[in-house]
């Protein structure tokens, strides 16, 4: 079995209310629209923060600092009327943020189409995700429909932090609402009605 994971997942763990909180939370945004539709910018901010921790040795140490990072990233991936529902939009936002901040990295994406016959295999999907995690940065995971898995929300972005499996069977872990969420990625690929996609950042090592 193959396993891919971040080298320092603790860089995305904060202490909130005296307890460990994995990842960032869109509900920290002050504006109701941000709270409702801000999963994409929240995910992008977590990815950017991890890259900054790795390359510059700085990272948000508490909820307030994490929110400041989320607010700084918001203009790069501001949701449209129905949210940030295209994989390309987060990829472009991350690329622009990295460029503007002078950070290393190259953003690219892997789309999971609406039509099942057009989707690539679990092995191809896992190869993209595994290569991204092996390059040591979280991936943005866009889940437009959860495929019947109630552990993950539909029409939602999460930072994906680990992958394990082999052949056509793959299990993944993502961060959401302060927790590590495990789910069957292979089953999601088979069953999601609307698809989604992944955004990764490569070449972040200096």
């Amino acid at each position: 079995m193959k396993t891919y994971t971040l080298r320092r997942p603790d860089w995305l763990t904060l202490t909130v209310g005296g307890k460990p909180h994995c990842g960032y939370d869109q509900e920290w945004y002050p504006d109701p629209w941000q709270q409702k539709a801000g999963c994409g910018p929240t995910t992008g901010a977590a990815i950017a923060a991890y890259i900054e921790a790795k390359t510059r040795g700085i990272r948000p140490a508490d909820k307030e600092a994490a929110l400041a990072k989320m607010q700084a990233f918001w203009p790069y991936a501001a949701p449209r009327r129905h949210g940030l529902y295209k994989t390309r939009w987060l990829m472009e936002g991350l690329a622009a943020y990295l460029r503007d901040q002078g950070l290393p990295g190259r953003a690219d994406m892997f789309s999971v189409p609406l039509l099942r016959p057009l989707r690539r295999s679990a092995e191809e999907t896992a190869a993209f995700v595994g290569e991204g995690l092996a390059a040591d940065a979280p991936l943005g995971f866009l889940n437009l429909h959860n495929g019947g898995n109630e552990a993950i929300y539909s029409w939602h972005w999460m930072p994906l932090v680990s992958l394990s499996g082999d052949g056509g069977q793959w299990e993944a872990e993502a961060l959401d609402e302060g927790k590590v969420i495990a789910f069957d990625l292979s089953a999601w690929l088979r069953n999601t009605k609307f698809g989604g996609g992944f955004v990764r950042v490569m070449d972040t090592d200096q």
Side-chain angles (χ1 to χ4, degrees), residues 33 37 76-85 89 92:
W33 169 243
Y76 291 91
R80 278 61 167 181
R81 181 179 179 184
H82 297 292
L84 201 75
Y85 56 88
W89 290 340
E92 292 171 347

Side-chain angles (χ1 to χ4, degrees), residues 89-144:
W89 290 340
L90 184 61
M91 179 192 70
E92 292 171 347
L94 277 166
Y97 183 89
L98 295 173
R99 181 186 64 245
D100 290 351
Q101 298 299 318
L103 290 164
R106 169 179 52 85
D108 60 7
M109 71 179 196
F110 183 103
S111 292
V112 178
L114 168 70
L115 299 177
R116 287 185 174 88
L118 299 180
R119 296 176 188 171
R120 285 174 278 185
S121 67
E123 291 87 346
E124 291 175 287
T125 306
F128 181 91
V129 173
E131 287 171 0
L133 291 171
D136 194 33
L139 282 83
F141 169 46
L142 173 60
N143 166 34
L144 294 175

Side-chain angles (χ1 to χ4, degrees), residues 162-192:
S162 77
L163 179 73
S164 61
D166 212 343
Q169 185 59 43
W170 294 91
E171 300 287 330
E173 291 183 338
L175 306 181
D176 200 29
E177 296 183 328
K179 302 182 294 291
V180 179
I181 308 294
F183 65 98
D184 186 331
L185 179 61
S186 304
W188 178 81
L189 286 167
R190 291 192 303 269
N191 299 324
T192 179

